[in-house]
Amino acid sequence: MNILSPSMLAADFGCLKAQLDLIEKNDIKWLHVDVMDGMFVPSISFGMPVISSIRKISGLFFDTHLMVTEPGRYINDFKKAGSDLLTVHVEACKDTAETLKEIKASGMKAGVTLNPETDVKEILPYIGLADLVLVMSVHPGFGGQKFIPGSLDKAVTIKKEIEKVNPSCRLEMDGGINLNNLKEVLLSGVDTIVAGTAVFGGDITENIKAFKKIM
Ligand code: DX5
Ligand code: ZN
């Protein structure tokens, strides 16, 4: 089953509860939560206090993308805050395998991801340990960027490996996905779609309906 995970980074934080309620009403089950530390990426977004607050008002599955240096330091904090899945960057971990194991031991699902310039080979050894692999289709740090086409080949390679070693692992793509490239993205083997601007920009209900028609 394909999943649409709207990226909260593109939501209007002035009326966040209303927007989260609205996506849930439109039968969305996942929320992509982008945490940026100002070190691994240039920008800073939000952290545990915000996640704790929305945990109290939302039943969505929190698909938490950590753009954070040495994310292993914060596993228990995100568990406490209410994250359901933590995705970490191979470029940011001291020991990626250990970090994935620790995330799972905490009771959350574990995801692993790589930057557009990182060779796909860097992530293949961790597929057996992950519940989700995320292919970044923009340089992490900001919403609203243009999709990098080379991401599709990466997804195809990773999907082949998933089928071999861990067929239940999800394949997610994040960055610059919209109604014009969604079909291609799905054809590359991706089953979990992150979209920020294309969901929260304009009429949220209409946007979700249009995505669901293609998915
Ligand atoms: C980029 C973030 C993305 C971003 C996606 O650093 O990881 O999740 O919010 O936003 P769009 O869909 O607007 O590219
Ligand atoms: Zn993200």
Side-chain angles (χ1 to χ4, degrees):
M1 197 193 57
N2 292 332
I3 291 175
L4 176 59
S5 188
S7 174
M8 189 174 106
L9 196 61
D12 180 349
F13 295 116
C15 54
L16 190 54
K17 179 175 166 16
Q19 297 208 333
L20 298 187
D21 287 348
L22 181 58
I23 64 170
E24 254 189 289
K25 218 176 100 194
N26 281 288
D27 211 28
I28 292 292
K29 307 289 185 212
W30 282 33
L31 180 70
H32 187 80
V33 180
D34 284 308
V35 177
M36 304 177 185
D37 68 351
M39 289 287 287
F40 182 70
V41 290
S43 192
I44 298 176
S45 57
F46 47 76
M48 299 82 163
V50 171
I51 298 175
S52 303
S53 294
I54 57 168
R55 182 70 293 165
K56 294 190 191 109
I57 54 112
S58 173
L60 291 161
F61 179 90
F62 289 173
D63 159 25
T64 314
H65 175 194
L66 298 186
M67 285 160 272
V68 171
T69 301
E70 286 178 40
R73 298 177 290 159
Y74 301 112
I75 294 169
N76 291 328
D77 296 308
F78 281 104
K79 170 67 186 168
K80 250 188 252 155
S83 287
D84 295 293
L85 177 149
L86 282 192
T87 296
V88 296
H89 275 261
V90 279
E91 305 88 355
C93 292
K94 262 198 182 148
D95 182 337
T96 303
E98 195 49 39
T99 306
L100 294 173
K101 283 179 199 160
E102 284 173 16
I103 294 170
K104 281 190 179 175
S106 80
M108 292 181 286
K109 302 267 187 215
V112 63
T113 184
L114 76 177
N115 286 336
E117 65 275 13
T118 302
D119 196 294
V120 69
K121 285 194 199 107
E122 298 294 323
I123 208 157
L124 300 181
Y126 306 113
I127 292 177
L129 290 170
D131 299 295
L132 175 145
V133 176
L134 167 61
V135 176
M136 285 310 299
S137 42
V138 296
H139 296 283
F142 303 96
Q145 302 180 72
K146 218 172 143 248
F147 185 84
I148 300 171
S151 320
L152 297 173
D153 288 343
K154 249 186 192 171
V156 170
T157 306
I158 293 170
K159 181 67 182 180
K160 275 190 199 142
E161 191 67 11
I162 285 178
E163 275 164 359
K164 254 198 261 164
V165 303
N166 186 8
S168 63
C169 180
R170 300 201 71 90
L171 180 56
E172 183 175 57
M173 192 172 273
D174 178 12
I177 302 178
N178 55 44
L179 294 171
N180 298 320
N181 56 21
L182 177 59
K183 231 181 233 162
E184 267 186 302
V185 171
L186 293 167
L187 280 174
S188 73
V190 169
D191 51 49
T192 308
I193 299 282
V194 177
T197 317
V199 168
F200 287 103
D203 187 323
I204 295 173
T205 298
E206 287 309 314
N207 292 341
I208 292 172
K209 270 193 196 143
F211 265 80
K212 288 205 161 178
K213 238 187 216 167
I214 299 171
M215 293 181 72

